[in-house]
PDB file of all heavy atoms in Angstrom:
ATOM      1  N   LEU P1444       0.831  -1.241   0.006  1.00 98.00           N
ATOM      2  CA  LEU P1444       0.020   0.006  -0.001  1.00 98.00           C
ATOM      3  C   LEU P1444       0.837   1.258   0.005  1.00 98.00           C
ATOM      4  O   LEU P1444       0.510   2.326  -0.571  1.00 98.00           O
ATOM      5  CB  LEU P1444      -0.975   0.015   1.210  1.00 98.00           C
ATOM      6  CG  LEU P1444      -2.121  -1.070   1.176  1.00 98.00           C
ATOM      7  CD1 LEU P1444      -2.810  -1.115   2.470  1.00 98.00           C
ATOM      8  CD2 LEU P1444      -3.026  -0.701   0.021  1.00 98.00           C
ATOM      9  N   GLN P1445       2.007   1.209   0.651  1.00 98.00           N
ATOM     10  CA  GLN P1445       2.947   2.350   0.663  1.00 98.00           C
ATOM     11  C   GLN P1445       3.717   2.554  -0.561  1.00 98.00           C
ATOM     12  O   GLN P1445       4.288   3.624  -0.789  1.00 98.00           O
ATOM     13  CB  GLN P1445       3.856   2.139   1.911  1.00 98.00           C
ATOM     14  CG  GLN P1445       3.191   2.265   3.188  1.00 98.00           C
ATOM     15  CD  GLN P1445       4.071   1.899   4.380  1.00 98.00           C
ATOM     16  OE1 GLN P1445       4.955   1.015   4.249  1.00 98.00           O
ATOM     17  NE2 GLN P1445       3.884   2.457   5.516  1.00 98.00           N
ATOM     18  N   ASN P1446       3.841   1.467  -1.411  1.00 98.00           N
ATOM     19  CA  ASN P1446       4.730   1.555  -2.540  1.00 98.00           C
ATOM     20  C   ASN P1446       4.163   1.384  -3.960  1.00 98.00           C
ATOM     21  O   ASN P1446       4.829   1.865  -4.901  1.00 98.00           O
ATOM     22  CB  ASN P1446       5.852   0.514  -2.338  1.00 98.00           C
ATOM     23  CG  ASN P1446       6.685   0.833  -1.121  1.00 98.00           C
ATOM     24  OD1 ASN P1446       7.317   1.881  -1.072  1.00 98.00           O
ATOM     25  ND2 ASN P1446       6.794  -0.107  -0.191  1.00 98.00           N
ATOM     26  N   ILE P1447       3.040   0.786  -4.091  1.00 98.00           N
ATOM     27  CA  ILE P1447       2.548   0.574  -5.512  1.00 98.00           C
ATOM     28  C   ILE P1447       2.052   1.904  -6.052  1.00 98.00           C
ATOM     29  O   ILE P1447       1.730   2.818  -5.336  1.00 98.00           O
ATOM     30  CB  ILE P1447       1.427  -0.520  -5.571  1.00 98.00           C
ATOM     31  CG1 ILE P1447       0.164  -0.104  -4.777  1.00 98.00           C
ATOM     32  CG2 ILE P1447       1.929  -1.865  -4.981  1.00 98.00           C
ATOM     33  CD1 ILE P1447      -1.001  -1.069  -4.938  1.00 98.00           C
ATOM     34  N   PRO P1448       2.036   1.989  -7.407  1.00 98.00           N
ATOM     35  CA  PRO P1448       1.729   3.266  -8.036  1.00 98.00           C
ATOM     36  C   PRO P1448       0.300   3.748  -7.845  1.00 98.00           C
ATOM     37  O   PRO P1448      -0.578   2.907  -7.685  1.00 98.00           O
ATOM     38  CB  PRO P1448       1.966   3.034  -9.509  1.00 98.00           C
ATOM     39  CG  PRO P1448       2.869   1.784  -9.560  1.00 98.00           C
ATOM     40  CD  PRO P1448       2.532   1.014  -8.339  1.00 98.00           C
ATOM     41  N   GLU P1449       0.109   5.032  -7.794  1.00 97.00           N
ATOM     42  CA  GLU P1449      -1.245   5.623  -7.771  1.00 97.00           C
ATOM     43  C   GLU P1449      -2.112   5.069  -8.870  1.00 97.00           C
ATOM     44  O   GLU P1449      -1.627   4.751  -9.939  1.00 97.00           O
ATOM     45  CB  GLU P1449      -1.093   7.166  -7.996  1.00 97.00           C
ATOM     46  CG  GLU P1449      -2.388   7.893  -8.010  1.00 97.00           C
ATOM     47  CD  GLU P1449      -2.144   9.417  -8.260  1.00 97.00           C
ATOM     48  OE1 GLU P1449      -1.168  10.023  -7.657  1.00 97.00           O
ATOM     49  OE2 GLU P1449      -2.858   9.971  -9.048  1.00 97.00           O
ATOM     50  N   GLY P1450      -3.378   4.815  -8.552  1.00 97.00           N
ATOM     51  CA  GLY P1450      -4.363   4.280  -9.557  1.00 97.00           C
ATOM     52  C   GLY P1450      -4.297   2.750  -9.634  1.00 97.00           C
ATOM     53  O   GLY P1450      -5.080   2.160 -10.407  1.00 97.00           O
ATOM     54  N   SER P1451      -3.437   2.079  -8.851  1.00 98.00           N
ATOM     55  CA  SER P1451      -3.320   0.589  -8.853  1.00 98.00           C
ATOM     56  C   SER P1451      -4.392  -0.039  -7.993  1.00 98.00           C
ATOM     57  O   SER P1451      -4.958   0.608  -7.112  1.00 98.00           O
ATOM     58  CB  SER P1451      -1.944   0.223  -8.374  1.00 98.00           C
ATOM     59  OG  SER P1451      -0.918   0.638  -9.218  1.00 98.00           O
ATOM     60  N   VAL P1452      -4.573  -1.284  -8.233  1.00 98.00           N
ATOM     61  CA  VAL P1452      -5.461  -2.169  -7.395  1.00 98.00           C
ATOM     62  C   VAL P1452      -4.504  -3.163  -6.747  1.00 98.00           C
ATOM     63  O   VAL P1452      -3.760  -3.873  -7.395  1.00 98.00           O
ATOM     64  CB  VAL P1452      -6.481  -2.905  -8.240  1.00 98.00           C
ATOM     65  CG1 VAL P1452      -7.312  -3.836  -7.393  1.00 98.00           C
ATOM     66  CG2 VAL P1452      -7.416  -1.936  -8.994  1.00 98.00           C
ATOM     67  N   LEU P1453      -4.596  -3.177  -5.411  1.00 98.00           N
ATOM     68  CA  LEU P1453      -3.824  -4.211  -4.631  1.00 98.00           C
ATOM     69  C   LEU P1453      -4.738  -5.407  -4.461  1.00 98.00           C
ATOM     70  O   LEU P1453      -5.884  -5.310  -3.938  1.00 98.00           O
ATOM     71  CB  LEU P1453      -3.384  -3.645  -3.245  1.00 98.00           C
ATOM     72  CG  LEU P1453      -2.651  -4.658  -2.415  1.00 98.00           C
ATOM     73  CD1 LEU P1453      -1.374  -5.126  -3.105  1.00 98.00           C
ATOM     74  CD2 LEU P1453      -2.378  -4.160  -1.035  1.00 98.00           C
ATOM     75  N   VAL P1454      -4.249  -6.552  -4.896  1.00 98.00           N
ATOM     76  CA  VAL P1454      -4.972  -7.829  -4.732  1.00 98.00           C
ATOM     77  C   VAL P1454      -4.168  -8.611  -3.670  1.00 98.00           C
ATOM     78  O   VAL P1454      -2.979  -8.916  -3.860  1.00 98.00           O
ATOM     79  CB  VAL P1454      -5.042  -8.614  -6.060  1.00 98.00           C
ATOM     80  CG1 VAL P1454      -5.575  -9.972  -5.824  1.00 98.00           C
ATOM     81  CG2 VAL P1454      -5.901  -7.874  -6.998  1.00 98.00           C
ATOM     82  N   VAL P1455      -4.862  -8.968  -2.611  1.00 98.00           N
ATOM     83  CA  VAL P1455      -4.220  -9.649  -1.459  1.00 98.00           C
ATOM     84  C   VAL P1455      -4.787 -11.078  -1.452  1.00 98.00           C
ATOM     85  O   VAL P1455      -6.017 -11.301  -1.135  1.00 98.00           O
ATOM     86  CB  VAL P1455      -4.526  -8.921  -0.108  1.00 98.00           C
ATOM     87  CG1 VAL P1455      -3.937  -9.689   1.048  1.00 98.00           C
ATOM     88  CG2 VAL P1455      -4.064  -7.524  -0.192  1.00 98.00           C
ATOM     89  N   ASP P1456      -3.949 -12.077  -1.677  1.00 98.00           N
ATOM     90  CA  ASP P1456      -4.331 -13.420  -1.459  1.00 98.00           C
ATOM     91  C   ASP P1456      -4.021 -13.843  -0.043  1.00 98.00           C
ATOM     92  O   ASP P1456      -2.885 -14.146   0.259  1.00 98.00           O
ATOM     93  CB  ASP P1456      -3.608 -14.384  -2.521  1.00 98.00           C
ATOM     94  CG  ASP P1456      -3.938 -15.835  -2.368  1.00 98.00           C
ATOM     95  OD1 ASP P1456      -4.734 -16.172  -1.372  1.00 98.00           O
ATOM     96  OD2 ASP P1456      -3.572 -16.634  -3.203  1.00 98.00           O
ATOM     97  N   GLY P1457      -5.012 -13.784   0.728  1.00 98.00           N
ATOM     98  CA  GLY P1457      -4.887 -14.164   2.186  1.00 98.00           C
ATOM     99  C   GLY P1457      -5.254 -15.583   2.459  1.00 98.00           C
ATOM    100  O   GLY P1457      -5.531 -15.974   3.626  1.00 98.00           O
ATOM    101  N   GLY P1458      -5.300 -16.420   1.417  1.00 98.00           N
ATOM    102  CA  GLY P1458      -5.621 -17.807   1.632  1.00 98.00           C
ATOM    103  C   GLY P1458      -7.028 -18.098   2.037  1.00 98.00           C
ATOM    104  O   GLY P1458      -7.426 -19.233   2.373  1.00 98.00           O
ATOM    105  N   GLY P1459      -7.877 -17.098   2.010  1.00 98.00           N
ATOM    106  CA  GLY P1459      -9.297 -17.229   2.402  1.00 98.00           C
ATOM    107  C   GLY P1459      -9.497 -17.369   3.916  1.00 98.00           C
ATOM    108  O   GLY P1459     -10.578 -17.716   4.347  1.00 98.00           O
ATOM    109  N   SER P1460      -8.458 -17.080   4.691  1.00 98.00           N
ATOM    110  CA  SER P1460      -8.593 -17.176   6.150  1.00 98.00           C
ATOM    111  C   SER P1460      -9.542 -16.192   6.704  1.00 98.00           C
ATOM    112  O   SER P1460      -9.551 -15.012   6.315  1.00 98.00           O
ATOM    113  CB  SER P1460      -7.222 -16.954   6.778  1.00 98.00           C
ATOM    114  OG  SER P1460      -7.361 -16.933   8.229  1.00 98.00           O
ATOM    115  N   ARG P1461     -10.402 -16.693   7.613  1.00 98.00           N
ATOM    116  CA  ARG P1461     -11.322 -15.798   8.315  1.00 98.00           C
ATOM    117  C   ARG P1461     -10.966 -15.640   9.780  1.00 98.00           C
ATOM    118  O   ARG P1461     -11.742 -15.192  10.603  1.00 98.00           O
ATOM    119  CB  ARG P1461     -12.766 -16.422   8.205  1.00 98.00           C
ATOM    120  CG  ARG P1461     -13.249 -16.457   6.784  1.00 98.00           C
ATOM    121  CD  ARG P1461     -14.595 -17.147   6.704  1.00 98.00           C
ATOM    122  NE  ARG P1461     -15.132 -17.177   5.360  1.00 98.00           N
ATOM    123  CZ  ARG P1461     -15.917 -16.255   4.820  1.00 98.00           C
ATOM    124  NH1 ARG P1461     -16.310 -15.229   5.481  1.00 98.00           N
ATOM    125  NH2 ARG P1461     -16.342 -16.439   3.561  1.00 98.00           N
ATOM    126  N   LYS P1462      -9.760 -16.048  10.158  1.00 98.00           N
ATOM    127  CA  LYS P1462      -9.266 -16.015  11.564  1.00 98.00           C
ATOM    128  C   LYS P1462      -8.834 -14.663  12.060  1.00 98.00           C
ATOM    129  O   LYS P1462      -8.661 -14.481  13.233  1.00 98.00           O
ATOM    130  CB  LYS P1462      -8.228 -17.048  11.769  1.00 98.00           C
ATOM    131  CG  LYS P1462      -8.747 -18.491  11.586  1.00 98.00           C
ATOM    132  CD  LYS P1462      -7.683 -19.530  11.881  1.00 98.00           C
ATOM    133  CE  LYS P1462      -8.220 -20.933  11.726  1.00 98.00           C
ATOM    134  NZ  LYS P1462      -7.222 -21.965  11.944  1.00 98.00           N
ATOM    135  N   CYS P1463      -8.475 -13.802  11.165  1.00 98.00           N
ATOM    136  CA  CYS P1463      -8.017 -12.434  11.506  1.00 98.00           C
ATOM    137  C   CYS P1463      -8.163 -11.506  10.327  1.00 98.00           C
ATOM    138  O   CYS P1463      -8.438 -11.940   9.200  1.00 98.00           O
ATOM    139  CB  CYS P1463      -6.602 -12.433  11.985  1.00 98.00           C
ATOM    140  SG  CYS P1463      -5.375 -12.853  10.723  1.00 98.00           S
ATOM    141  N   ALA P1464      -7.978 -10.179  10.560  1.00 98.00           N
ATOM    142  CA  ALA P1464      -8.131  -9.286   9.500  1.00 98.00           C
ATOM    143  C   ALA P1464      -6.781  -8.896   8.902  1.00 98.00           C
ATOM    144  O   ALA P1464      -5.782  -8.767   9.667  1.00 98.00           O
ATOM    145  CB  ALA P1464      -8.770  -7.925  10.066  1.00 98.00           C
ATOM    146  N   LEU P1465      -6.702  -8.750   7.627  1.00 98.00           N
ATOM    147  CA  LEU P1465      -5.454  -8.354   6.932  1.00 98.00           C
ATOM    148  C   LEU P1465      -5.431  -6.831   6.667  1.00 98.00           C
ATOM    149  O   LEU P1465      -4.370  -6.349   6.227  1.00 98.00           O
ATOM    150  CB  LEU P1465      -5.314  -9.134   5.607  1.00 98.00           C
ATOM    151  CG  LEU P1465      -5.122 -10.626   5.834  1.00 98.00           C
ATOM    152  CD1 LEU P1465      -5.142 -11.342   4.451  1.00 98.00           C
ATOM    153  CD2 LEU P1465      -3.825 -10.947   6.559  1.00 98.00           C
ATOM    154  N   LEU P1466      -6.490  -6.164   6.851  1.00 98.00           N
ATOM    155  CA  LEU P1466      -6.572  -4.774   6.548  1.00 98.00           C
ATOM    156  C   LEU P1466      -7.616  -4.070   7.465  1.00 98.00           C
ATOM    157  O   LEU P1466      -8.719  -4.631   7.666  1.00 98.00           O
ATOM    158  CB  LEU P1466      -6.998  -4.548   5.096  1.00 98.00           C
ATOM    159  CG  LEU P1466      -7.027  -3.149   4.596  1.00 98.00           C
ATOM    160  CD1 LEU P1466      -6.243  -3.035   3.235  1.00 98.00           C
ATOM    161  CD2 LEU P1466      -8.486  -2.699   4.340  1.00 98.00           C
ATOM    162  N   GLY P1467      -7.230  -2.918   7.983  1.00 98.00           N
ATOM    163  CA  GLY P1467      -8.155  -2.188   8.808  1.00 98.00           C
ATOM    164  C   GLY P1467      -8.146  -0.702   8.354  1.00 98.00           C
ATOM    165  O   GLY P1467      -7.635  -0.335   7.284  1.00 98.00           O
ATOM    166  N   ASP P1468      -8.698   0.179   9.201  1.00 98.00           N
ATOM    167  CA  ASP P1468      -8.928   1.607   8.767  1.00 98.00           C
ATOM    168  C   ASP P1468      -7.554   2.295   8.576  1.00 98.00           C
ATOM    169  O   ASP P1468      -7.405   3.121   7.678  1.00 98.00           O
ATOM    170  CB  ASP P1468      -9.791   2.316   9.694  1.00 98.00           C
ATOM    171  CG  ASP P1468      -9.290   2.438  11.110  1.00 98.00           C
ATOM    172  OD1 ASP P1468      -8.428   1.611  11.561  1.00 98.00           O
ATOM    173  OD2 ASP P1468      -9.740   3.313  11.844  1.00 98.00           O
ATOM    174  N   ASN P1469      -6.536   1.927   9.357  1.00 98.00           N
ATOM    175  CA  ASN P1469      -5.230   2.583   9.085  1.00 98.00           C
ATOM    176  C   ASN P1469      -4.642   2.295   7.792  1.00 98.00           C
ATOM    177  O   ASN P1469      -4.131   3.170   7.119  1.00 98.00           O
ATOM    178  CB  ASN P1469      -4.247   2.198  10.280  1.00 98.00           C
ATOM    179  CG  ASN P1469      -4.632   2.780  11.597  1.00 98.00           C
ATOM    180  OD1 ASN P1469      -5.300   3.811  11.696  1.00 98.00           O
ATOM    181  ND2 ASN P1469      -4.311   2.045  12.661  1.00 98.00           N
ATOM    182  N   LEU P1470      -4.720   1.003   7.382  1.00 98.00           N
ATOM    183  CA  LEU P1470      -4.135   0.639   6.057  1.00 98.00           C
ATOM    184  C   LEU P1470      -5.029   1.208   4.953  1.00 98.00           C
ATOM    185  O   LEU P1470      -4.553   1.620   3.877  1.00 98.00           O
ATOM    186  CB  LEU P1470      -3.978  -0.839   5.950  1.00 98.00           C
ATOM    187  CG  LEU P1470      -2.922  -1.498   6.901  1.00 98.00           C
ATOM    188  CD1 LEU P1470      -2.685  -2.921   6.558  1.00 98.00           C
ATOM    189  CD2 LEU P1470      -1.688  -0.724   6.938  1.00 98.00           C
ATOM    190  N   ALA P1471      -6.381   1.202   5.186  1.00 98.00           N
ATOM    191  CA  ALA P1471      -7.293   1.734   4.159  1.00 98.00           C
ATOM    192  C   ALA P1471      -6.973   3.215   3.951  1.00 98.00           C
ATOM    193  O   ALA P1471      -6.962   3.769   2.858  1.00 98.00           O
ATOM    194  CB  ALA P1471      -8.685   1.572   4.523  1.00 98.00           C
ATOM    195  N   HIS P1472      -6.607   3.953   5.058  1.00 98.00           N
ATOM    196  CA  HIS P1472      -6.292   5.362   5.006  1.00 98.00           C
ATOM    197  C   HIS P1472      -5.037   5.577   4.115  1.00 98.00           C
ATOM    198  O   HIS P1472      -4.969   6.574   3.368  1.00 98.00           O
ATOM    199  CB  HIS P1472      -6.053   5.954   6.365  1.00 98.00           C
ATOM    200  CG  HIS P1472      -5.658   7.398   6.357  1.00 98.00           C
ATOM    201  ND1 HIS P1472      -6.631   8.375   6.040  1.00 98.00           N
ATOM    202  CD2 HIS P1472      -4.514   8.034   6.579  1.00 98.00           C
ATOM    203  CE1 HIS P1472      -6.034   9.558   6.091  1.00 98.00           C
ATOM    204  NE2 HIS P1472      -4.737   9.396   6.414  1.00 98.00           N
ATOM    205  N   ILE P1473      -4.020   4.635   4.166  1.00 98.00           N
ATOM    206  CA  ILE P1473      -2.885   4.787   3.317  1.00 98.00           C
ATOM    207  C   ILE P1473      -3.348   4.699   1.849  1.00 98.00           C
ATOM    208  O   ILE P1473      -2.869   5.472   1.012  1.00 98.00           O
ATOM    209  CB  ILE P1473      -1.880   3.661   3.652  1.00 98.00           C
ATOM    210  CG1 ILE P1473      -1.225   3.874   5.016  1.00 98.00           C
ATOM    211  CG2 ILE P1473      -0.766   3.646   2.602  1.00 98.00           C
ATOM    212  CD1 ILE P1473      -0.404   2.657   5.535  1.00 98.00           C
ATOM    213  N   ALA P1474      -4.208   3.772   1.562  1.00 98.00           N
ATOM    214  CA  ALA P1474      -4.672   3.641   0.155  1.00 98.00           C
ATOM    215  C   ALA P1474      -5.403   4.837  -0.310  1.00 98.00           C
ATOM    216  O   ALA P1474      -5.203   5.317  -1.478  1.00 98.00           O
ATOM    217  CB  ALA P1474      -5.610   2.388   0.088  1.00 98.00           C
ATOM    218  N   VAL P1475      -6.216   5.481   0.535  1.00 98.00           N
ATOM    219  CA  VAL P1475      -6.920   6.701   0.135  1.00 98.00           C
ATOM    220  C   VAL P1475      -5.922   7.803  -0.055  1.00 98.00           C
ATOM    221  O   VAL P1475      -5.968   8.496  -1.110  1.00 98.00           O
ATOM    222  CB  VAL P1475      -7.961   7.147   1.298  1.00 98.00           C
ATOM    223  CG1 VAL P1475      -8.531   8.501   1.021  1.00 98.00           C
ATOM    224  CG2 VAL P1475      -9.019   6.069   1.422  1.00 98.00           C
ATOM    225  N   THR P1476      -4.987   8.028   0.888  1.00 98.00           N
ATOM    226  CA  THR P1476      -3.993   9.087   0.774  1.00 98.00           C
ATOM    227  C   THR P1476      -3.144   8.933  -0.482  1.00 98.00           C
ATOM    228  O   THR P1476      -2.845   9.911  -1.153  1.00 98.00           O
ATOM    229  CB  THR P1476      -3.090   9.082   2.015  1.00 98.00           C
ATOM    230  OG1 THR P1476      -3.943   9.239   3.138  1.00 98.00           O
ATOM    231  CG2 THR P1476      -2.092  10.210   1.947  1.00 98.00           C
ATOM    232  N   ARG P1477      -2.813   7.727  -0.852  1.00 98.00           N
ATOM    233  CA  ARG P1477      -1.956   7.464  -1.995  1.00 98.00           C
ATOM    234  C   ARG P1477      -2.769   7.375  -3.323  1.00 98.00           C
ATOM    235  O   ARG P1477      -2.181   7.138  -4.332  1.00 98.00           O
ATOM    236  CB  ARG P1477      -1.127   6.206  -1.750  1.00 98.00           C
ATOM    237  CG  ARG P1477      -0.182   6.415  -0.587  1.00 98.00           C
ATOM    238  CD  ARG P1477       1.058   5.561  -0.644  1.00 98.00           C
ATOM    239  NE  ARG P1477       1.794   5.744  -1.861  1.00 98.00           N
ATOM    240  CZ  ARG P1477       1.863   4.863  -2.885  1.00 98.00           C
ATOM    241  NH1 ARG P1477       1.306   3.669  -2.756  1.00 98.00           N
ATOM    242  NH2 ARG P1477       2.509   5.121  -4.008  1.00 98.00           N
ATOM    243  N   GLN P1478      -4.056   7.539  -3.257  1.00 98.00           N
ATOM    244  CA  GLN P1478      -4.962   7.504  -4.400  1.00 98.00           C
ATOM    245  C   GLN P1478      -4.876   6.206  -5.161  1.00 98.00           C
ATOM    246  O   GLN P1478      -4.821   6.175  -6.402  1.00 98.00           O
ATOM    247  CB  GLN P1478      -4.697   8.710  -5.288  1.00 98.00           C
ATOM    248  CG  GLN P1478      -4.977  10.017  -4.622  1.00 98.00           C
ATOM    249  CD  GLN P1478      -4.772  11.197  -5.460  1.00 98.00           C
ATOM    250  OE1 GLN P1478      -4.197  11.188  -6.533  1.00 98.00           O
ATOM    251  NE2 GLN P1478      -5.241  12.356  -5.038  1.00 98.00           N
ATOM    252  N   LEU P1479      -4.914   5.122  -4.396  1.00 98.00           N
ATOM    253  CA  LEU P1479      -4.989   3.784  -5.078  1.00 98.00           C
ATOM    254  C   LEU P1479      -6.413   3.617  -5.536  1.00 98.00           C
ATOM    255  O   LEU P1479      -7.345   4.161  -4.980  1.00 98.00           O
ATOM    256  CB  LEU P1479      -4.569   2.728  -4.082  1.00 98.00           C
ATOM    257  CG  LEU P1479      -3.157   2.799  -3.601  1.00 98.00           C
ATOM    258  CD1 LEU P1479      -2.798   1.592  -2.643  1.00 98.00           C
ATOM    259  CD2 LEU P1479      -2.122   2.964  -4.660  1.00 98.00           C
ATOM    260  N   SER P1480      -6.607   2.853  -6.551  1.00 97.00           N
ATOM    261  CA  SER P1480      -7.937   2.649  -7.155  1.00 97.00           C
ATOM    262  C   SER P1480      -8.853   1.793  -6.266  1.00 97.00           C
ATOM    263  O   SER P1480      -9.997   2.135  -6.085  1.00 97.00           O
ATOM    264  CB  SER P1480      -7.823   2.014  -8.551  1.00 97.00           C
ATOM    265  OG  SER P1480      -9.014   1.878  -9.147  1.00 97.00           O
ATOM    266  N   GLY P1481      -8.247   0.710  -5.691  1.00 97.00           N
ATOM    267  CA  GLY P1481      -9.071  -0.168  -4.868  1.00 97.00           C
ATOM    268  C   GLY P1481      -8.237  -1.343  -4.315  1.00 97.00           C
ATOM    269  O   GLY P1481      -7.071  -1.455  -4.661  1.00 97.00           O
ATOM    270  N   ILE P1482      -8.847  -2.136  -3.484  1.00 98.00           N
ATOM    271  CA  ILE P1482      -8.211  -3.287  -2.865  1.00 98.00           C
ATOM    272  C   ILE P1482      -9.175  -4.461  -2.917  1.00 98.00           C
ATOM    273  O   ILE P1482     -10.404  -4.295  -2.653  1.00 98.00           O
ATOM    274  CB  ILE P1482      -7.831  -2.965  -1.396  1.00 98.00           C
ATOM    275  CG1 ILE P1482      -6.985  -1.722  -1.311  1.00 98.00           C
ATOM    276  CG2 ILE P1482      -7.169  -4.160  -0.771  1.00 98.00           C
ATOM    277  CD1 ILE P1482      -6.887  -1.187   0.146  1.00 98.00           C
ATOM    278  N   VAL P1483      -8.649  -5.673  -3.259  1.00 98.00           N
ATOM    279  CA  VAL P1483      -9.410  -6.928  -3.162  1.00 98.00           C
ATOM    280  C   VAL P1483      -8.650  -7.835  -2.165  1.00 98.00           C
ATOM    281  O   VAL P1483      -7.410  -8.006  -2.327  1.00 98.00           O
ATOM    282  CB  VAL P1483      -9.507  -7.629  -4.526  1.00 98.00           C
ATOM    283  CG1 VAL P1483     -10.222  -8.966  -4.311  1.00 98.00           C
ATOM    284  CG2 VAL P1483     -10.337  -6.774  -5.448  1.00 98.00           C
ATOM    285  N   VAL P1484      -9.323  -8.279  -1.183  1.00 98.00           N
ATOM    286  CA  VAL P1484      -8.729  -9.143  -0.091  1.00 98.00           C
ATOM    287  C   VAL P1484      -9.413 -10.467  -0.095  1.00 98.00           C
ATOM    288  O   VAL P1484     -10.596 -10.531   0.244  1.00 98.00           O
ATOM    289  CB  VAL P1484      -8.765  -8.475   1.259  1.00 98.00           C
ATOM    290  CG1 VAL P1484      -8.129  -9.356   2.328  1.00 98.00           C
ATOM    291  CG2 VAL P1484      -8.204  -7.049   1.301  1.00 98.00           C
ATOM    292  N   TYR P1485      -8.671 -11.549  -0.404  1.00 98.00           N
ATOM    293  CA  TYR P1485      -9.186 -12.898  -0.217  1.00 98.00           C
ATOM    294  C   TYR P1485      -8.871 -13.290   1.187  1.00 98.00           C
ATOM    295  O   TYR P1485      -8.001 -14.094   1.500  1.00 98.00           O
ATOM    296  CB  TYR P1485      -8.622 -13.837  -1.249  1.00 98.00           C
ATOM    297  CG  TYR P1485      -9.251 -15.188  -1.249  1.00 98.00           C
ATOM    298  CD1 TYR P1485     -10.615 -15.344  -1.370  1.00 98.00           C
ATOM    299  CD2 TYR P1485      -8.474 -16.327  -1.135  1.00 98.00           C
ATOM    300  CE1 TYR P1485     -11.241 -16.603  -1.339  1.00 98.00           C
ATOM    301  CE2 TYR P1485      -9.087 -17.613  -1.086  1.00 98.00           C
ATOM    302  CZ  TYR P1485     -10.388 -17.709  -1.208  1.00 98.00           C
ATOM    303  OH  TYR P1485     -11.045 -18.957  -1.196  1.00 98.00           O
ATOM    304  N   GLY P1486      -9.614 -12.645   2.088  1.00 98.00           N
ATOM    305  CA  GLY P1486      -9.477 -12.726   3.552  1.00 98.00           C
ATOM    306  C   GLY P1486     -10.407 -11.701   4.141  1.00 98.00           C
ATOM    307  O   GLY P1486     -11.296 -11.180   3.509  1.00 98.00           O
TER     308      GLY P1486
END
């Protein structure tokens, strides 16, 4: 989230685990600030 180019989509393969969260409001804020297009989390 801190390094990919603006306008990108981060795809996170979290193995489909439902045991914990891989993204919260702090990381989402990074995506907003860096103007990323969106995020897909398989988790």
Side-chain angles (χ1 to χ4, degrees):
L1444 290 170
Q1445 293 170 327
N1446 293 303
I1447 66 175
E1449 178 181 317
S1451 298
V1452 175
L1453 179 62
V1454 174
V1455 179
D1456 180 352
S1460 174
R1461 295 178 182 266
K1462 293 183 180 179
C1463 66
L1465 295 174
L1466 183 130
D1468 62 339
N1469 291 331
L1470 296 189
H1472 180 72
I1473 293 170
V1475 171
T1476 301
R1477 296 207 54 251
Q1478 298 182 348
L1479 301 183
S1480 183
I1482 305 167
V1483 175
V1484 181
Y1485 188 54

